[in-house]
Amino acid sequence: SPSVDVRVSGKDLEYFRHHSSRVSGPMNWVTSSGVKGLDSCTLALVPAKSPSRKYTVRLFFAEPDALAPGQRRFDVTLQGRPALSDFDIAKETRGAGKSLIKEFKGVVVTGELRLAFKPAARSAGKPLLCGLQVIAEK
């Protein structure tokens, strides 16, 4: 894999890590760790003055805090466009400690890949991300 400049921002970022045996499902070694409270994640992918490229982007999640469905909800934008709206990990996985992977194909990147995270109104939990995979398309 090439070296990629990754920047994560947010107020009061909280990194977590658990043993992979605490998470079930695919890629549990990825979804057993992550960051809570992020506002954005930016990756420099396409060199300046280069043409844009298309990528497949995979986002990895698991609820680490045993929050019930409805307690951690957030929106995710990808390249400034809505990707996940009122996203609720525990609702989609039917509980905590279960892997969830969301895939987006044909994401056009000129320069940087930009993700933004925004908590939903009255959400008890902060937005989180466990992993990110970016695959260049041909």
Side-chain angles (χ1 to χ4, degrees), residues 45-117:
L45 292 178
V46 180
K49 298 182 182 179
S50 294
S52 60
R53 291 195 64 181
K54 287 187 180 181
Y55 293 87
T56 295
V57 177
R58 292 184 184 134
L59 306 179
F60 297 81
F61 302 96
E63 173 53 55
D65 297 327
L67 294 181
Q71 289 186 295
R72 182 189 314 274
R73 297 178 350 273
F74 56 96
D75 298 333
V76 179
T77 61
L78 185 56
Q79 297 303 82
R81 296 182 180 179
L84 300 170
S85 181
D86 203 31
F87 181 56
D88 187 337
I89 301 164
K91 181 179 178 183
E92 289 203 30
T93 62
R94 295 189 176 105
K98 298 174 186 173
S99 295
L100 179 62
I101 303 167
K102 294 291 187 174
E103 182 176 88
F104 306 91
K105 293 184 179 228
V107 177
V108 178
V109 177
T110 304
E112 297 181 326
L113 174 69
R114 297 175 318 280
L115 293 149
F117 300 80

Side-chain angles (χ1 to χ4, degrees), residues 14 30 33 36 43 52 59 64 68 75 117 126 136:
E14 181 183 342
V30 174
S33 62
K36 295 184 274 189
L43 286 78
S52 60
L59 306 179
D75 298 333
F117 300 80
K126 299 175 182 179

